[in-house]
């Protein structure tokens, strides 16, 4: 069984929606950031601070490759993962869903939460968002736009995965 892989910008709800999808489909859920944090025994912010982004991207790629080897999972990826071709290739046999949420909504949801190294400067985060949109679109098999709630978003994703 293919994995269902959620991609999209930081704060678009990949982890919370992914958890709901997994529960509804009786699948296991895994979040690449949490996987990396428990493997490295460090937070993502600490990894960025101590070793830099390039190092993080390498371990993120290894995490994607390990998880893509499994089947039937619901996987929430970090916001940068599917903007790298090597990770898109890694998940080529899975169903990749882009959660397309407007930046203003993302900004509202994240607020002043400072835990994301690439969201500390909101102007830069908006630029990054604009740059990444076409990459998410081309990485994904399917795109889902915002729903009224996380529960509804999960139902929308389950619906389009079923008819695929
Ligand atoms: C990143 C997003 C984060 C995390 C890291 C880098 C990005 O994950 O992987 O801080 O490049 O957009 P979330 O999308 O879960 O916040």
């Amino acid at each position: 069984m293919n994995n269902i892989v959620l991609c999209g910008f930081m704060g678009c709800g990949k982890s919370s929606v992914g958890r709901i999808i997994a529960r509804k489909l009786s699948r296991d859920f895994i979040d690449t950031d949490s996987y990396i944090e428990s493997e490295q025994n460090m937070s993502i912010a600490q990894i960025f601070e101590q070793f830099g982004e390039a190092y993080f991207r390498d371990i993120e790629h290894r995490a994607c490759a390990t998880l893509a080897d499994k089947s039937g999972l619901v996987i929430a990826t970090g916001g940068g993962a599917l903007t790298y071709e090597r990770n898109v290739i890694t998940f080529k046999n899975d169903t990749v869903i882009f959660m397309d949420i407007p930046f203003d909504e993302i900004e509202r949801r994240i607020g002043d939460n400072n835990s994301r190294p690439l969201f500390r400067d909101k102007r830069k985060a908006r630029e990054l968002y604009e740059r990444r949109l076409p990459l998410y679109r081309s990485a994904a098999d399917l795109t889902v736009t915002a729903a009224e709630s996380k529960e509804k978003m999960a139902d929308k994703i389950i619906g389009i995965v079923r008819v695929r």
Side-chain angles (χ1 to χ4, degrees):
M1 200 192 336
N2 285 357
N3 297 306
I4 297 173
V5 180
L6 304 179
C7 77
F9 205 65
M10 292 169 262
C12 74
K14 296 167 297 238
S15 303
S16 38
V17 172
R19 248 183 228 105
I20 300 172
I21 297 171
R23 175 173 45 77
K24 291 191 177 213
L25 297 180
S26 304
R27 293 188 183 210
D28 286 332
F29 170 76
I30 206 143
D31 173 294
T32 57
D33 284 341
S34 308
Y35 178 87
I36 290 166
E37 286 179 332
S38 68
E39 225 201 4
Q40 302 289 315
N41 207 18
M42 290 171 92
S43 71
I44 300 295
Q46 283 171 330
I47 298 170
F48 266 72
E49 270 152 35
Q50 292 191 27
F51 303 112
E53 183 173 350
Y55 176 88
F56 170 75
R57 295 301 170 196
D58 283 345
I59 51 176
E60 177 176 61
H61 175 59
R62 285 207 301 277
C64 289
T66 303
L67 298 176
D69 269 348
K70 303 184 189 293
S71 67
L73 298 174
V74 178
I75 302 171
T77 57
L82 270 293
T83 66
Y84 290 88
E85 186 64 18
R86 60 182 174 170
N87 297 328
V88 178
I89 293 168
T90 295
F91 288 121
K92 67 180 181 314
N93 294 324
D94 294 315
T95 303
V96 178
I97 316 274
F98 169 37
M99 293 172 57
D100 188 2
I101 308 295
F103 185 82
D104 290 343
E105 171 63 18
I106 284 176
E107 196 178 18
R108 197 185 58 73
R109 288 185 196 174
I110 291 187
D112 289 326
N113 178 336
N114 215 14
S115 65
R116 292 173 168 94
L118 299 180
F119 211 98
R120 291 197 179 129
D121 177 330
K122 290 196 176 147
R123 191 184 51 80
K124 283 195 185 147
R126 187 184 285 272
E127 282 168 14
L128 187 61
Y129 175 90
E130 301 291 347
R131 265 205 313 280
R132 284 178 171 179
L133 274 185
L135 302 174
Y136 294 135
R137 291 203 176 106
S138 84
D141 301 298
L142 301 160
T143 294
V144 181
T145 51
E148 308 88 88
S149 66
K150 291 188 170 160
E151 193 80 17
K152 292 236 166 69
M153 189 74 172
D155 289 339
K156 235 168 139 173
I157 293 173
I158 291 171
I160 60 168
V161 169
R162 280 217 174 106
V163 298
R164 191 168 181 260

